[in-house]
Amino acid sequence: MAEQPLTYKDAGVDIDAVTVALKSVGRMAAETHTDRVLTGLGSFGALFRADFGSMAEPVLVSSTDGVGTKLLVAHRAGRFDTVGADLVNHCINDILVMGAEPLFFLDYVAAEHFSPGMLEGIVSGFATACREQGVALIGGETAEMPDLYPPGHFDLAGFVVGVVDRPHVLTGDRVAVGDVLIGLPSTGLHTNGYSLAQRILLDREGLDLDQTLPGLEGSVADALLAVHRCYLQPLRGLLRHTGLHGLVHITGGGFTDNLPRVLPSTTDALIDRSTWTPPAIFMEMQRRGPVERDEMDRTFNMGVGMVLVVAVDAQAEVLAHLETQGEQPFVVGRVEAGEGVVRYEGQGPT
Amino acid sequence: MAEQPLTYKDAGVDIDAVTVALKSVGRMAAETHTDRVLTGLGSFGALFRADFGSMAEPVLVSSTDGVGTKLLVAHRAGRFDTVGADLVNHCINDILVMGAEPLFFLDYVAAEHFSPGMLEGIVSGFATACREQGVALIGGETAEMPDLYPPGHFDLAGFVVGVVDRPHVLTGDRVAVGDVLIGLPSTGLHTNGYSLAQRILLDREGLDLDQTLPGLEGSVADALLAVHRCYLQPLRGLLRHTGLHGLVHITGGGFTDNLPRVLPSTTDALIDRSTWTPPAIFMEMQRRGPVERDEMDRTFNMGVGMVLVVAVDAQAEVLAHLETQGEQPFVVGRVEAGEGVVRYEGQGPT
């Protein structure tokens, strides 16, 4: 008996099912398009008008990132509509700290298999965040790879391009002794430290994602999946302020690894742990781990997702501006003479 | 007895080991940098000078892609240094067909765990292809996610940005009845159809990756991992030629799904299967599957990785130009009146 001829669908690739999902994905993306997106001009690549006429020396700033093991929490919780926003906001923050305004975003989504609504959920997260920040979602790639990913699993990558006029690139080169460090609140872990968080809360402590914890308003899942916030809107009006010497996105490595990115080699950042109380999710992990505070500070953002390095004579004006933007900024430390590292003082709450 | 305090490393994330690999990755990337890459200006995002002064209306063209299940072949064969080049070249081809010159590339690499040399191997593929094509590798993200990927597995995503002057965007709007279709050879499957290829050759036929097949010069692994070639250099000199009406990168979906991207709705592409013999790897799969030729043509590139749609009066000049570039172009069909689909004529070899 002759074998049945094989088709691509037999090999586990159902192009048509993904095609259906991609139609609603296309509609969501189209809602983010500005008049700088040139649509209807072919379909292999995405077109964006590079009219930077008002800039003396336009510089493109780009960044790529993933969501990391926060995806495992989304997988366990079966929630797909938040991780896309995490990624958009993370990428925007990474170019914002160079002084750039974001222009457009592209996504890569790969999964073992897309269950009904899963791809639409993921892309709705991308589209919502892009729309909120005025960024065009102009392209993406979707792949079903049943033999590469374990059942139900998926991974995401995001890519953002923005622009800044060269004289206004924020490099940290003006950071100086005496500058103050102003923190802006995070919404939770953002996208870092999830391997340790799951090890403590889910594996070692055996907590369920849907149970509550002291001090947490929602469930453990709500706390762990809180969307990584975007700092574009509160900071946009400060990007060309001469008193703003540097911006630091507190991502993997916490204060300890991220602040040195803007510190001249003759300065240290001195963080005063007594100036704020980390949100309950961090305190619970620190206590339950247990995890030393130094290890917490090189793993998590501890409730501070963005740090502004500001000239002391601009401090009052910057704080006032941030408050008009609805922010609750607080001074977390200062720049002192040193050797390009972070030091800590004060007793954090325990 | 008190439990040992947990660290991030205990949770499976060994930042230091990856940091060592990232140093050689950084060196490889630096070798691709042109004078338009602004280095030493901070490290959260990558900076690229957007000086498109010679263009009337510069348009950025971007694309993202993955390698798909070709990664599974690389995984089985333990070869990591080719898939990065596949991805760079695929992305470049996707914006080239819009008429764009590539500027810079970013990569995302995620794995269960990076064995010694694995990350360096992957990134050497990116860096080699970027250097060959004059594209700057300006950023990337690397993630180890032991609970998300199965042992030894990894995934890649790539992002490219290029530029084209708006009057020279290739859209296919000039494609017309009577145009000829000129094919350029592929180096193999490029990055499409690997689920079906593995199903036939490895699972159903039980071939080993290191054995040889009739008509193949190297092993099955050599044939399946042949690098997706880049068509930038042979096509660069034709991008503004008025006789070039469209370019089509033959990717997933083969001729059947890709040619319609440039076909006006009143035209068909007529492919004459008698005009070339697909390389042995395709013939072996078609015979061994067995797979119908129609299914082959909507899955694989069948040995033709790029199609130029050319005005008939420019045909001789275009063919001559391609030959001076060392290409072996051949006419695979023509444009006829129709309804925006691909039709086939002639008997392909069996």
Side-chain angles (χ1 to χ4, degrees):
Chain A
M1 196 177 85
E3 287 191 89
Q4 281 291 96
L6 276 172
T7 69
Y8 203 47
K9 191 167 175 173
D10 294 331
V13 179
D14 185 351
I15 294 175
D16 296 334
V18 173
T19 301
V20 170
L22 288 177
K23 282 189 184 164
S24 72
V25 163
R27 280 192 297 272
M28 288 188 271
E31 289 174 11
T32 69
H33 289 180
T34 62
D35 62 0
R36 295 174 76 171
V37 178
L38 304 177
T39 51
L41 291 184
S43 54
F44 283 92
L47 304 175
F48 192 91
R49 278 176 31 224
D51 49 348
F52 310 129
S54 65
M55 292 187 180
E57 292 183 81
V59 174
L60 297 175
V61 187
S62 54
S63 187
T64 181
D65 222 306
V67 181
T69 50
K70 189 173 189 172
L71 291 175
L72 293 170
V73 181
H75 166 73
R76 291 198 203 196
R79 282 195 211 167
F80 303 114
D81 60 348
T82 57
V83 286
D86 284 317
L87 190 46
V88 170
N89 293 341
H90 186 143
C91 285
I92 292 175
N93 290 342
D94 274 348
I95 64 167
L96 174 66
V97 296
M98 315 288 296
E101 284 270 345
L103 301 171
F104 59 83
F105 183 89
L106 292 91
D107 66 84
Y108 172 79
V109 184
E112 177 259 342
H113 170 70
F114 290 107
S115 53
M118 180 177 169
L119 180 59
E120 293 89 331
I122 292 169
V123 176
S124 75
F126 291 129
T128 300
C130 281
R131 207 167 47 237
E132 284 175 359
Q133 305 304 329
V135 172
L137 175 60
I138 57 172
E141 169 68 8
T142 304
E144 262 193 352
M145 297 195 280
D147 295 325
L148 197 153
Y149 286 92
H153 278 283
F154 63 107
D155 198 5
L156 308 180
F159 168 72
V160 72
V161 173
V163 68
V164 58
D165 203 359
R166 187 164 179 174
H168 300 292
V169 174
L170 281 171
T171 65
D173 61 348
R174 288 180 292 130
V175 168
V177 171
D179 286 354
V180 293
L181 304 174
I182 297 174
L184 294 179
S186 65
T187 45
L189 279 64
H190 284 180
T191 48
N192 295 104
Y194 278 86
S195 294
L196 182 55
Q198 290 173 86
R199 176 78 178 273
I200 296 169
L201 297 176
L202 307 182
D203 301 342
R204 191 182 269 207
E205 295 280 290
L207 300 181
D208 288 330
L209 283 171
D210 55 3
Q211 78 181 80
T212 57
L213 278 187
L216 292 188
E217 284 191 16
S219 65
V220 172
D222 293 337
L224 289 178
L225 291 176
V227 170
H228 191 143
R229 62 171 296 208
C230 184
Y231 296 94
L232 174 62
Q233 287 168 16
L235 293 178
R236 180 176 268 145
L238 293 172
L239 292 177
R240 296 186 173 201
H241 192 297
T242 55
L244 180 66
H245 291 171
L247 286 174
V248 186
H249 187 200
I250 306 300
T251 58
F255 286 136
T256 309
D257 287 352
N258 286 290
L259 280 167
R261 298 191 192 204
V262 300
L263 291 177
S265 59
T266 56
T267 64
D268 281 353
L270 189 65
I271 298 288
D272 182 351
R273 286 169 171 158
S274 70
T275 56
W276 83 102
T277 299
I281 185 73
F282 298 106
M283 301 304 293
E284 287 293 323
M285 290 192 294
Q286 184 173 335
R287 184 177 65 79
R288 287 168 184 257
V291 183
E292 302 282 357
R293 178 66 194 252
D294 281 353
E295 185 70 12
M296 293 293 291
D297 281 327
R298 75 175 291 247
T299 304
F300 299 109
N301 67 59
M302 299 304 284
V304 182
M306 179 68 71
V307 172
L308 295 77
V309 188
V310 173
V312 69
D313 61 7
Q315 175 180 343
E317 190 186 343
V318 167
L319 288 171
H321 177 85
L322 291 167
E323 281 159 8
T324 66
Q325 299 295 309
E327 288 293 324
Q328 296 183 298
F330 47 98
V331 174
V332 296
R334 60 192 183 276
V335 177
E336 297 199 335
E339 49 193 19
V341 301
V342 178
R343 289 181 286 121
Y344 296 91
E345 66 176 1
Q347 181 71 35
T350 52
Chain B
M1 195 175 89
E3 288 191 271
Q4 281 291 96
L6 277 171
T7 69
Y8 203 50
K9 191 166 175 173
D10 294 330
V13 180
D14 185 351
I15 295 175
D16 296 335
V18 173
T19 302
V20 170
L22 288 177
K23 282 190 184 164
S24 73
V25 162
R27 280 192 296 273
M28 288 188 271
E31 288 173 11
T32 70
H33 289 181
T34 62
D35 61 1
R36 295 173 76 171
V37 177
L38 304 178
T39 51
L41 292 184
S43 54
F44 283 91
L47 304 176
F48 192 91
R49 276 174 33 222
D51 50 348
F52 310 128
S54 65
M55 292 189 180
E57 292 183 80
V59 173
L60 297 175
V61 187
S62 54
S63 188
T64 179
D65 222 307
V67 181
T69 50
K70 189 172 190 174
L71 291 176
L72 294 170
V73 182
H75 166 73
R76 291 198 202 197
R79 281 195 211 167
F80 304 114
D81 59 349
T82 57
V83 285
D86 285 316
L87 191 47
V88 170
N89 292 342
H90 186 144
C91 284
I92 292 175
N93 289 342
D94 274 349
I95 65 168
L96 174 66
V97 296
M98 315 289 296
E101 284 269 347
L103 301 171
F104 59 85
F105 183 88
L106 293 90
D107 67 82
Y108 172 80
V109 184
E112 177 258 342
H113 170 70
F114 292 107
S115 53
M118 179 178 171
L119 179 59
E120 294 89 332
I122 293 169
V123 176
S124 75
F126 291 129
T128 299
C130 281
R131 206 168 46 237
E132 283 174 1
Q133 304 305 328
V135 172
L137 175 59
I138 57 172
E141 170 67 9
T142 305
E144 262 192 353
M145 297 194 280
D147 295 325
L148 198 153
Y149 287 91
H153 278 284
F154 64 105
D155 198 6
L156 308 181
F159 306 95
V160 72
V161 173
V163 69
V164 58
D165 203 359
R166 187 164 178 175
H168 301 291
V169 173
L170 282 171
T171 66
D173 61 348
R174 289 180 291 131
V175 168
V177 171
D179 285 354
V180 294
L181 304 174
I182 297 174
L184 294 180
S186 65
T187 44
L189 280 65
H190 284 181
T191 49
N192 294 103
Y194 279 86
S195 294
L196 182 55
Q198 289 173 86
R199 177 76 178 273
I200 296 169
L201 298 175
L202 307 183
D203 302 341
R204 192 182 267 209
E205 295 279 292
L207 300 180
D208 287 330
L209 283 171
D210 55 3
Q211 78 181 80
T212 57
L213 278 188
L216 292 189
E217 284 193 16
S219 65
V220 173
D222 292 336
L224 290 178
L225 292 176
V227 170
H228 191 143
R229 63 171 294 210
C230 184
Y231 296 94
L232 174 62
Q233 286 167 17
L235 293 178
R236 178 177 269 145
L238 293 171
L239 292 178
R240 296 185 174 203
H241 192 297
T242 56
L244 180 66
H245 291 171
L247 287 174
V248 186
H249 187 200
I250 307 300
T251 58
F255 286 136
T256 309
D257 287 352
N258 286 291
L259 279 166
R261 299 190 192 204
V262 300
L263 290 178
S265 58
T266 56
T267 65
D268 281 353
L270 190 66
I271 298 289
D272 183 352
R273 286 169 170 157
S274 70
T275 55
W276 82 102
T277 299
I281 184 76
F282 297 106
M283 302 304 292
E284 286 293 323
M285 290 192 293
Q286 184 173 335
R287 183 177 66 77
R288 290 169 182 255
V291 183
E292 302 282 357
R293 177 66 193 252
D294 281 353
E295 184 69 12
M296 294 293 290
D297 280 328
R298 76 175 292 248
T299 303
F300 299 109
N301 67 58
M302 300 303 285
V304 182
M306 179 69 71
V307 172
L308 296 77
V309 188
V310 173
V312 69
D313 60 7
Q315 175 180 343
E317 190 186 344
V318 167
L319 288 171
H321 176 85
L322 290 168
E323 282 159 8
T324 66
Q325 299 296 310
E327 289 293 322
Q328 296 182 299
F330 47 99
V331 174
V332 296
R334 59 191 184 278
V335 177
E336 296 200 334
E339 49 193 19
V341 301
V342 178
R343 289 181 287 119
Y344 296 92
E345 66 176 3
Q347 181 71 38
T350 51

